[in-house]
Amino acid sequence: MAEILRQDRALEEACRLLAAGEPVAIPTETVYGLAADATNGEAVARIFEAKGRPRFNPLIAHVADREMAERIAAFSPLAARLAEAFWPGPLTLVLPHREGSGVHALVTAGLDTVALRCPRGFARDVIARLGRPLAAPSANISGRVSATTAEAVNTALGDRIPLVVDGGPTPVGLESTILKVTDEGLIMLRPGGIAAEEIERVAGTLLSRDAKGIEAPGMLASHYAPHARMRLNVAEVIPGEALLAFGPARAKGAEAAAQVLNLSSSGDLREAAANLFSHLSALDAAGAATIAVEPVPMAGLGEAINDRLVRAAAPRDRQDGER
């Protein structure tokens, strides 16, 4: 099994393993990431091997600052404004990839764009010390529930990687928002830890959601999936189902649920986002065949929560090669 080190004791060992081409699970403000040197093709391949991830699904290259980012991608004035406002933080920008950047083609999946994010905390410290960008998809088996604790990472991947850095529960609990920046404007590729309304306020323009194909992580039809089947936006719970609740009022028949976990009893979407993956994992582990999910509003972070729920509930034969 992987060694687990607290983040205040892990910097040197994490950098040593990453420099040697090994994947390391690290905490970010969003979810735990399975990190490897983005300039080393063999290291990136080890991410795919550990996760069982399809090669066509691109990865995010995480950077320490704008200076590192601008060596990798071309920034328009709009992209620069968004980075200034939201970095470090849970925003990923898909930008034109600079030739000769050093980022390996496995990271971009052969696209002429690259997804970049500047994270907070330990992940940023590691990148700065290493001096190279890190590819770091969520630290889980591909298509399964993302990990928001070191324990969840170790359960999923502990026999496949050498080190898990324990930074405690992740504060955001959802992956980053992914935007493609084009000459025509902004395209939302994946809702996430920053609400669309916040981005539109800074950008001064509305977001388009007209994505073409798989241009970024998290765009597969079936993704973030527990083993149990899921029913969304339920008004009534079937006896024996597990219930993922939201807010103070319960669906009819909730008392007959096998287990109930509430994303936020007060209806707070930020709290709900932080709890989403851990609650899904806990309900899945309880063994019910189906998880019923109460409605979550689409406003603010609710868009990202609903996006993850829809993908988690998608028919499992729509994996697009994910398994």
Side-chain angles (χ1 to χ4, degrees):
M1 295 297 287
E3 181 179 14
I4 301 177
L5 291 177
R6 278 183 9 205
Q7 65 178 7
D8 58 349
R9 300 178 177 177
L11 185 61
E12 293 300 330
E13 179 64 6
C15 287
R16 184 187 71 79
L17 288 167
L18 290 164
E22 294 293 335
V24 174
I26 61 174
T28 79
E29 71 273 42
T30 55
V31 298
Y32 275 73
L34 183 58
D37 180 354
T39 69
N40 181 334
E42 291 186 8
V44 176
R46 290 189 177 103
I47 293 177
F48 289 118
E49 290 167 357
K51 285 177 62 70
R53 188 184 180 99
R55 298 300 199 270
F56 59 77
N57 201 7
L59 305 178
I60 295 170
H62 294 71
V63 297
D65 49 36
R66 274 276 300 283
E67 182 180 355
M68 183 180 287
E70 289 183 353
R71 292 197 296 268
I72 298 169
F75 277 70
S76 67
L78 177 56
R81 188 159 73 247
L82 291 168
E84 179 69 25
F86 296 112
W87 280 6
L91 177 67
T92 295
L93 298 175
V94 176
L95 302 169
H97 185 200
R98 289 191 189 278
E99 187 175 348
S101 74
V103 170
H104 197 274
L106 278 177
V107 176
T108 62
L111 301 174
D112 59 5
T113 55
V114 61
L116 294 178
R117 181 167 94 84
C118 179
R120 299 189 190 118
F122 181 84
R124 191 182 186 194
D125 293 341
V126 169
I127 299 163
R129 177 71 66 89
L130 191 67
R132 281 167 265 167
L134 292 179
S138 55
N140 58 351
I141 298 300
S142 191
R144 291 301 178 187
V145 179
S146 298
T148 56
T149 65
E151 293 78 11
V153 176
N154 199 42
T155 297
L157 299 175
D159 60 347
R160 305 182 183 199
I161 60 176
L163 177 64
V164 177
V165 178
D166 187 354
T170 59
V172 176
L174 284 173
E175 294 85 355
S176 61
T177 301
I178 302 181
L179 297 179
K180 184 175 183 179
V181 184
T182 72
D183 292 339
E184 290 72 39
L186 298 175
I187 302 172
M188 173 80 85
L189 300 183
R190 182 181 73 184
I194 297 177
E197 295 88 341
E198 294 182 63
I199 296 165
E200 289 173 341
R201 205 160 35 241
V202 170
T205 185
L206 296 178
L207 302 182
S208 165
R209 287 164 174 79
D210 187 24
K212 302 290 193 300
I214 296 173
E215 300 185 76
M219 296 182 70
L220 294 174
S222 178
H223 209 57
Y224 316 108
H227 293 88
R229 297 292 171 179
M230 294 179 61
R231 292 197 306 122
L232 304 185
N233 300 315
V234 301
E236 185 171 355
V237 180
I238 298 170
E241 290 182 321
L243 176 62
L244 186 64
F246 176 79
R250 294 287 65 75
K252 183 179 178 182
E255 66 280 357
Q259 185 175 355
V260 179
L261 289 177
N262 198 324
L263 291 170
S264 174
S265 57
S266 66
D268 184 295
L269 289 170
R270 193 168 295 278
E271 180 185 14
N275 286 332
L276 177 61
F277 290 130
S278 61
H279 281 15
L280 267 180
S281 293
L283 291 177
D284 198 31
T290 304
I291 299 172
V293 183
E294 291 180 347
V296 176
M298 283 294 292
L301 288 178
E303 181 181 9
I305 294 169
N306 280 287
D307 172 82
R308 302 309 190 275
L309 289 171
V310 167
R311 295 180 192 278
R316 306 300 161 80
D317 59 355
R318 294 179 62 193
Q319 288 298 311
D320 299 329
E322 178 74 2
R323 296 193 202 289

